[in-house]
């Protein structure tokens, strides 16, 4: 029995055992690799605007400390529980190892629908969550970043709260901060930029000039991915968020959609004519499909119906292991797996942490060039490994990540 339950954790565990089998990891080593080092659960009380008090449950899971501090986002969403957070922390570990970053994986979250909070309430909750986490995090222990439902502003509140308790400014405690408070140029765009860079590498690999793309989720990652695709001349024919779904075979006006979301926070209300059924968005024909919202949106049935050539997994865990079995039979679809596809975010978070520690800041072209260098190296390693082992890109990517963590644990040994 463990505290880690639920469909997202089950999926992370199932994927891990596929990899452990693939690399012949001894049975007795597996739990040491899979189960998180520690999990923290906190209650976060805040004053509501109406004068009442509300309490929200928060979590932080630190997966392993074998390669350095832990690193990972903080999610504010009503789906958050300790199992989901643990799964996301585990995926972060394989992702950081694949990219060659000196981190273990972590993730945190609060069970809350942030759209139901006023800005003042959101600030109160953000500050209280960070305050509760102070004994467990630190620039060399565990470094937070944004994820679903949090953003640069939340990171600035986290950094300010931590700093107030230290009596000095500690910018390196979180990444994904605004540039005005120690953030790096290029971090906000990094995940989406990386997604599109890798989707284009995939296109090159299969000899495709992509003309159309569909993006599910229009938050930080989805909107930047859409903008990057449009900037490269790829028509974005479909987009969705939790409030609306639009499809137009002639292409949607991405810049106008972004302006609409900046003003209204959601896609709803943008257009009547282009309204479409969200249930069929993922299975419409397109060259590049970018799921950039939730986990487990592509199950076996959806995988069988996909009509894309490249599946660029911007979200964490969008494809279930059952769907992977179907995709293995569909060689015409090139999968860029999540731990590779969305790694741009943590790579530039790493750059931000390094810049903050050194108080020496880089230009945007330097950030982007180094980002590409790391992503290209990882892409090359994954495609070579997939070919060598005759497996899909996900198995190849995860095998590289898991092996690196395993090797670090083996050489360090087991304390005491
Ligand atoms: P965000 O909160 O900025 O945006 C999430 C988007 O998903 C919103 O547009 C929301 O409306 C939409 N959404 C929610 N439920 C939906 C549904 N049922 N159907 C369609 N859309 C829905 O979050 P984000 O930071 O863009 O993260 C999106 C995904 O990318 C998550 O899986 C996250 O873990 C992953 N990710 C984010 C980063 C990052 O740097 N922010 C890095 C790596 C991976």
């Amino acid at each position: 029995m463990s505290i880690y339950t639920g469909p997202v954790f089950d999926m992370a565990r199932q994927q891990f055992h596929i990899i452990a089998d693939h690399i012949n990891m001894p049975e007795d080593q597996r739990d040491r690799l899979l189960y998180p080092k520690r999990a923290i659960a906190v209650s976060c009380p805040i004053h509501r605007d109406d004068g009442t008090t509300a309490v929200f449950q928060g979590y932080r899971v630190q997966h392993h400390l074998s390669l350095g501090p832990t690193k990972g986002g903080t999610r504010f969403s009503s789906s958050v529980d300790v199992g989901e957070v643990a799964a996301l922390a585990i995926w972060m570990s394989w992702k950081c190892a694949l990219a060659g970053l000196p981190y273990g994986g972590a993730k945190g979250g609060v069970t809350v629908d942030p759209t139901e909070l006023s800005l003042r309430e959101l600030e109160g909750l953000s500050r209280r969550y960070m305050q509760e986490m102070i004994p467990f995090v630190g620039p060399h222990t565990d470094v937070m970043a944004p994820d679903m439902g949090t953003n640069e502003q939340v990171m600035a509140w986290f950094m300010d709260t931590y700093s107030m308790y230290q009596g000095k400014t500690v910018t390196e405690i979180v990444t994904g901060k605004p540039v005005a408070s120690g953030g790096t140029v290029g971090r906000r765009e990094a995940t989406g930029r990386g997604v599109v860079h890798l989707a284009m590498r995939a296109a090159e690999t299969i000899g495709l000039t992509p003309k159309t793309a569909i993006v599910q989720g229009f938050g930080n990652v989805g909107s930047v991915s859409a903008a990057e695709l449009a900037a490269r001349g790829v028509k974005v024919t479909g987009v969705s968020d939790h409030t609306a779904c639009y499809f137009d075979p002639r292409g949607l006006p991405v810049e106008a959609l972004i302006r609409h979301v900046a003003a209204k926070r959601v896609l709803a209300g943008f257009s009547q004519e282009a309204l479409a059924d969200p249930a069929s968005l993922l299975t419409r024909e397109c060259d590049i499909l970018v799921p950039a919202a939730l986990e487990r949106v592509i199950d076996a049935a959806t995988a069988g119906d996909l009509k894309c050539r490249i599946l660029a997994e911007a979200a964490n865990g969008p494809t279930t292991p059952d769907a992977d079995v179907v995709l293995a039979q569909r060689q015409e679809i090139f999968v860029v797996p999540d731990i590779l596809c969305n790694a741009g975010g943590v790579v530039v978070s790493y750059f931000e942490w390094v810049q903050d520690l050194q108080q020496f800041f880089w230009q945007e072209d330097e950030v982007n060039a180094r980002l590409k260098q790391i992503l290209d190296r990882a892409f090359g390693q994954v495609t070579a490994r997939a070919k060598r082992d005759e497996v899909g890109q996900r198995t190849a990517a995860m095998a590289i990540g898991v092996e690196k963590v395993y090797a670090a644990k083996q050489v360090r040994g087991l304390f005491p």
Side-chain angles (χ1 to χ4, degrees):
M1 274 298 283
S2 92
I3 58 166
Y4 308 111
T5 57
V8 188
F9 187 78
D10 287 347
M11 180 173 149
R13 181 171 43 205
Q14 210 178 328
Q15 285 177 338
F16 169 75
H17 282 291
I18 293 169
I19 303 309
D21 288 343
H22 180 67
I23 64 173
N24 294 317
M25 185 186 292
E27 283 290 339
D28 69 313
Q29 298 296 316
R30 296 185 181 195
D31 284 357
R32 190 174 173 216
L33 266 285
L34 176 66
Y35 283 99
K37 167 62 68 185
R38 55 176 88 102
I40 301 114
V42 293
S43 295
C44 305
I46 64 161
H47 293 295
R48 300 299 303 245
D49 288 345
D50 64 6
T52 61
T53 298
V55 180
F56 298 93
Q57 298 308 311
Y59 306 94
R60 185 86 186 155
V61 174
Q62 297 165 351
H63 180 224
H64 78 84
L65 310 175
S66 304
L67 284 162
T70 49
K71 183 87 193 76
T74 306
R75 175 173 285 197
F76 283 4
S77 157
S78 38
S79 73
V80 162
D81 61 31
V82 72
E84 179 181 298
V85 173
L88 291 160
I90 291 167
W91 289 329
M92 274 302 287
S93 288
W94 316 146
K95 187 187 306 182
C96 292
L98 171 64
L101 308 180
Y103 295 135
K107 207 78 176 190
V110 178
T111 315
V112 60
D113 177 354
T115 63
E116 287 179 1
L117 299 180
S118 69
L119 195 64
R120 198 199 61 80
E121 291 169 335
L122 182 65
E123 177 173 355
L125 180 59
S126 303
R127 288 186 180 279
R128 187 61 192 234
Y129 173 77
M130 174 47 106
Q131 188 263 322
E132 296 290 350
M133 287 296 158
I134 286 176
F136 310 105
V137 298
H140 294 284
T141 311
D142 182 14
V143 180
M144 296 185 187
D147 192 76
M148 210 181 338
T150 59
N151 56 20
E152 289 185 344
Q153 177 59 74
V154 173
M155 294 308 112
W157 290 326
F158 280 180
M159 189 274 281
D160 184 66
T161 303
Y162 187 86
S163 296
M164 288 297 109
Y165 278 86
Q166 304 301 318
K168 61 187 178 194
T169 295
V170 188
T171 52
E172 59 272 27
I173 184 61
V174 294
T175 60
K177 300 176 297 292
V179 174
S181 63
T184 180
V185 286
R187 171 61 185 89
R188 197 176 53 77
E189 302 84 358
T191 310
R193 229 171 233 166
V195 166
V196 174
H197 177 70
L198 292 166
M200 292 300 180
R201 287 293 315 268
E204 221 176 84
T205 308
I206 59 172
L208 172 80
T209 306
K211 296 191 177 57
T212 56
I214 288 176
V215 182
Q216 181 193 51
F218 211 73
N220 171 297
V221 181
S223 65
V224 173
S225 299
E228 288 281 319
L229 285 160
R232 292 168 192 239
V234 180
K235 248 186 338 192
V236 178
T237 54
V239 297
S240 71
D241 72 357
H242 67 288
T243 65
C245 173
Y246 302 117
F247 182 81
D248 186 339
R250 294 167 301 176
L252 293 160
V254 173
E255 285 304 321
L257 285 162
I258 289 173
R259 280 197 303 274
H260 177 85
V261 171
K264 312 270 186 221
R265 289 171 82 176
V266 291
L267 282 175
F270 179 77
S271 153
Q272 280 303 316
E273 297 108 67
L275 270 179
D277 173 19
S280 55
L281 185 73
L282 297 177
T283 53
R284 286 183 182 269
E285 198 168 328
C286 63
D287 292 327
I288 302 174
L289 178 64
V290 185
L294 307 170
E295 302 85 38
R296 299 168 61 246
V297 292
I298 301 174
D299 58 12
T302 307
D305 287 345
L306 292 179
K307 293 176 199 71
C308 59
R309 295 293 316 284
I310 292 163
L311 174 58
E313 294 183 344
N316 285 305
T319 307
T320 66
D322 288 355
D324 274 333
V325 174
V326 176
L327 289 171
Q329 305 303 317
R330 300 201 56 192
Q331 296 292 320
E332 75 278 17
I333 299 178
F334 189 108
V335 179
V336 188
D338 53 0
I339 64 164
L340 170 64
C341 194
N342 66 35
V346 70
V347 169
V348 179
S349 273
Y350 165 62
F351 297 162
E352 180 174 335
W353 179 70
V354 167
Q355 291 172 70
D356 283 341
L357 286 170
Q358 300 184 338
Q359 289 295 300
F360 179 70
F361 290 90
W362 310 352
Q363 302 293 318
E364 191 159 0
D365 52 359
E366 191 176 356
V367 169
N368 291 337
R370 286 179 185 264
L371 168 65
K372 271 190 196 155
Q373 208 175 34
I374 291 181
L375 294 182
D376 282 339
R377 184 181 62 201
F379 184 86
Q381 288 171 349
V382 169
T383 47
R385 180 71 180 256
K387 207 165 161 187
R388 190 196 85 183
D389 292 5
E390 296 179 348
V391 293
Q393 325 287 344
R394 185 182 327 283
T395 302
M398 287 186 62
I400 296 170
V402 171
E403 275 173 356
K404 282 195 186 168
V405 178
Y406 184 34
K409 282 192 184 286
Q410 291 297 105
V411 288
R412 285 184 63 161
L414 185 57
F415 180 84

